[in-house]
Amino acid sequence: MSDRIFGGFGVLLAVFYAWAALQTEESFLSDAVGPKAFPVIIAIILGLSSAVIALRPDPEPVWPPLARLAEIGAAAVVMILYAQFLPEAGFIIATALAAMYLTWRLGSPVVQSVVIGALTALVIYIIFHAVLGLSLARGPLDAYVDTVVDPVLGAIGAFFEMFGGSGADEAAPEATGATGAGD
Amino acid sequence: MDLWANLYGGFEIALTWQNLGLALLGCFLGTIMGALPGLGPSNGVAILIPLAFTLGLDATSSLILLTAVYYGAMYGGRISSILLNIPGDEPAMMTCLDGYPMARKGMAGEALALSGIASFVGAFLATWGLILLAPQLVKLALLFGPAEYFALFALAFATLGGVSSTNQAKSAFAAMLGLGLAMIGVDTQTGVPRLTFGEVHLYDGLDFLVAIVGLFALSEVFVFLEHRHGSADAEESKVKVGRIVPPMPMVIKTIPTMLRTSFLGFVAGVLPGAGASLGSFISYSMEKKLVDKEGTFGTGDPRGVAAPEAGNNAAAGGALVPMLALGVPGSGTTAVLLAVLLSLNITPGPLLFQNNPDVVWGLIAALFIGNLMLLAMNIPMVGLFTRVLLIPPRILMPVVAMVSFVGIYGISGSSFDLLVMIAFGLAGWILRKLDVPLVPVILGTLLGNTMENNLRRAVTIDNGNWWTLVDSPLAITLWAIAIAGFILPVFVGKVVKARMQRRDEEGSLSD
């Protein structure tokens, strides 16, 4: 039954896709094929394969009970909230909360989850922001962490500088005439 | 000789402190990722892509880091197969069959050491295979015009479901889904927006890195949430590791096995749609047919440990050949590697060997070095990695999720991309439930635009004549292979899959 629904959905998707592709406004300067042909071919094959899936379904997959589905849905909601609030709350707070939630739902006791979540956020922050210099969303807590972490890292960095430092300034040979594979 | 000069140049590039350090880091992280059940080569590499970008690495160095992870994961997968009877990743499935019985007999140390050596032999020979075969393939690829390339892409998609695919309709669906997603954004040839529904964020198209991390890494988190704490709460790790140095007689006895299976694995890796899992499966079954006279396979025969390990590591090397020489990856992990190269503005294919020989040969030299490092890491230090297995997924999976978020946010700095990634994660979970393969989706999003450009170029050159696509003998051959490769699994796929599963059950029954 799942495959029949899935296949039916696929057919609808293909029809919608073809319709959407045909809405493309063609510019007056176009090549012989144009921007619509390939998407339409894709839609046709998508529709055919979906029809086959619907007509010749595989054995039913084992769907989790409703409670588990709700679990997955809830985790997705938490992740969406994380994505939305990341810029305001800052990296450490948002990540700690999200990691706490996931750890808790995967079966850790509450207190342990809080500790693990906070540690996860801190360690990722230190590795990616302080060590690797990735720019992450800034929040109220981050400045405090930086004041503690930066001097330590500075010392470690100075230690490594003595070994000739990074080779990152060796000229990157990228993009020297690398064009499409079909040229 | 040309070859030696190139190789020498490659070693000059690979033997800088930075690249050596990256190779070491990659090998170490890769082995851990391979050993942890739930993280395999493709999602391991996917998670580390942002790392390569944030370090500001050039193409050679990123590739060295990520292929070291790839090779490392191939080594690491065996550890949990042998100790826990849980494959650390898919290609290590066959290693369970004889590895775990060996461990039960108190020979875990020997099994780990032997499989480490077998992995080394497989990877070492495959790297030589890569050196010898890739330039030949490049010569062939130089004959390709746009029409042939279009046929080649079609071939890649047609065969990607693999010989073990049971439902080709689902493979085709996955490929079309990927290609369809690639079409979103401004059309590169005429500059008109397609399928964007007025959403400005979509004008640039979907970033395939977002799709990859979502489909591979986040969907894994959802799978674990579904099963709460999966099978990997390492309670059984009480198996004693014992002595780590393998008795020489055992190694000598398995040398013919290793050589045969390395060759087989390499061939399986080069062929599109086969990949490492099939490499280790073919290696094990052929070895069993060939030398298992006393029926000891499945009860802890050392040859049964060496065969799949040499096979899957050789296949990993083999899979790099079409990716580098043609720009068409044959497996999930090489597709991820291709994504990295494309984002660094390097297009694999024949031109790569001409324009960026330093990338190719630096990578090859790094593979040799990394392989040696892995051997060193995996024999004396294997105890360290067995301890990593004690990390339960309830801690590991949130870390995977958060690292994915950080990585994608770090690259783009946009919440919109995070939302897209979550959508891909959920879609990936549903598709996995429905047994739809994810690799064609990735490959489609990666190659969609190049494929379309080749189609349009071919037809435009011939003044709008679509028959130009089947005009040359080379193109016709490629189409014929594509069609055969698509149809064949319809007949033999069920048989192969059933055999793979039966072997698996035999393995779990025998303990």
Side-chain angles (χ1 to χ4, degrees), chain B residues 141-484:
Chain B
L142 287 174
L143 303 172
F144 282 25
E148 283 80 10
Y149 261 106
F150 184 71
L152 180 69
F153 286 129
L155 188 157
F157 284 114
T159 52
L160 202 63
V163 188
S164 60
S165 155
T166 44
N167 194 335
Q168 286 295 69
K170 286 184 176 171
S171 304
F173 177 89
M176 290 310 128
L177 191 64
L179 286 175
L181 289 169
M183 294 301 110
I184 296 173
V186 173
D187 173 31
T188 46
Q189 310 233 332
T190 57
V192 294
R194 286 192 290 184
L195 300 151
T196 52
F197 308 104
E199 174 68 67
V200 186
H201 287 296
L202 289 176
Y203 273 44
D204 282 343
L206 291 170
D207 189 343
F208 42 70
L209 292 178
V210 175
I212 286 174
V213 177
L215 281 179
F216 282 162
L218 263 197
S219 74
E220 196 69 45
V221 177
F222 288 121
V223 169
F224 268 87
L225 269 170
E226 180 195 343
H227 300 293
R228 177 63 61 95
H229 34 130
S231 42
D233 262 345
E235 297 126 8
E236 285 190 70
S237 56
K238 284 162 207 123
V239 178
K240 282 191 68 172
V241 173
R243 52 180 296 203
I244 295 286
V245 183
M248 268 307 151
M250 196 191 272
V251 175
I252 292 167
K253 210 180 102 192
T254 50
I255 282 178
T257 299
M258 290 183 199
L259 295 180
R260 277 193 298 266
T261 51
S262 297
F263 177 74
L264 259 186
F266 179 74
V267 174
V270 173
L271 294 177
S277 310
L278 201 78
S280 69
F281 167 71
I282 293 177
S283 299
Y284 185 86
S285 4
M286 192 213 65
E287 225 22 56
K288 187 175 158 121
K289 279 222 174 73
L290 211 62
V291 296
D292 187 24
K293 304 263 176 350
E294 304 90 31
T296 49
F297 268 52
T299 61
D301 190 312
R303 289 170 300 185
V305 176
E309 276 308 308
N312 73 30
N313 281 272
L320 289 173
V321 174
M323 194 275 275
L324 288 173
L326 302 176
V328 179
S331 69
T333 318
T334 44
V336 179
L337 289 173
L338 178 68
V340 177
L341 281 180
L342 291 178
S343 349
L344 289 165
N345 244 337
I346 299 254
T347 309
L351 288 173
L352 177 70
F353 283 71
Q354 284 175 2
N355 298 340
N356 306 86
D358 48 331
V359 173
V360 179
W361 294 99
L363 171 68
I364 287 172
L367 289 179
F368 279 119
I369 296 167
N371 205 16
L372 276 175
M373 285 177 177
L374 281 165
L375 184 69
M377 248 183 228
N378 274 277
I379 299 211
M381 284 165 64
V382 78
L384 184 74
F385 294 111
T386 56
R387 236 152 268 148
V388 172
L389 290 178
L390 298 172
I391 300 177
R394 66 189 162 82
I395 297 175
L396 179 71
M397 281 301 143
V399 174
V400 169
M402 292 349 279
V403 170
S404 310
F405 280 111
V406 174
I408 293 303
Y409 192 80
I411 292 174
S412 68
S414 108
S415 290
F416 180 79
D417 277 357
L418 293 186
L419 294 177
V420 174
M421 182 174 80
I422 297 167
F424 271 108
L426 280 174
W429 178 75
I430 294 172
L431 292 177
R432 281 163 77 153
K433 274 275 147 204
L434 292 167
D435 220 10
V436 177
L438 295 182
V439 174
V441 183
I442 293 295
L443 206 61
T445 44
L446 265 180
L447 297 180
N449 290 314
T450 327
M451 187 171 178
E452 189 197 12
N453 287 344
N454 278 305
L455 168 72
R456 289 164 77 166
R457 207 169 294 153
V459 175
T460 307
I461 289 171
D462 216 11
N463 293 321
N465 175 17
W466 285 70
W467 292 106
T468 185
L469 296 176
V470 287
D471 211 20
S472 75
L474 197 54
I476 293 173
T477 316
L478 289 169
W479 282 111
I481 301 173
I483 293 169

Side-chain angles (χ1 to χ4, degrees), chain A residues 3 17 31 35 62 68 134, chain B residues 54 170 180 194 225 433 456:
Chain A
D3 268 5
Y17 192 85
D31 53 337
V62 186
R68 295 276 101 197
L134 189 63
Chain B
T54 46
K170 286 184 176 171
R194 286 192 290 184
L225 269 170
K433 274 275 147 204
R456 289 164 77 166

Side-chain angles (χ1 to χ4, degrees), chain A residues 9-145:
Chain A
F9 169 77
V11 172
L12 290 180
L13 180 72
V15 171
F16 172 73
Y17 192 85
W19 172 80
L22 289 172
Q23 300 305 304
T24 308
E25 301 251 349
E26 281 204 50
S27 96
F28 59 94
L29 267 177
S30 188
D31 53 337
V33 179
K36 292 177 186 172
F38 195 58
V40 171
I41 297 173
I42 292 173
I44 291 171
I45 303 179
L46 189 69
L48 285 178
S49 53
S50 302
V52 174
I53 293 172
L55 294 176
R56 300 191 52 198
D58 282 342
E60 188 71 10
V62 186
W63 289 103
L66 211 57
R68 295 276 101 197
L69 280 180
E71 190 78 71
I72 289 169
V77 170
V78 168
M79 289 179 187
I80 292 169
L81 289 176
Y82 173 79
Q84 290 297 342
F85 287 104
L86 184 63
E88 285 106 63
F91 178 78
I92 293 186
I93 295 176
T95 307
L97 289 176
M100 275 172 206
Y101 175 81
L102 288 176
T103 316
W104 174 52
R105 291 320 304 165
L106 281 164
S108 305
V110 177
V111 180
Q112 222 183 346
S113 320
V114 172
V115 176
I116 293 170
L119 279 179
T120 305
L122 263 182
V123 170
I124 293 180
Y125 182 81
I126 291 175
I127 293 179
F128 279 87
H129 177 73
V131 180
L132 300 176
L134 189 63
S135 59
L136 299 170
R138 306 285 297 170
L141 257 185
D142 304 304
Y144 294 104
V145 177

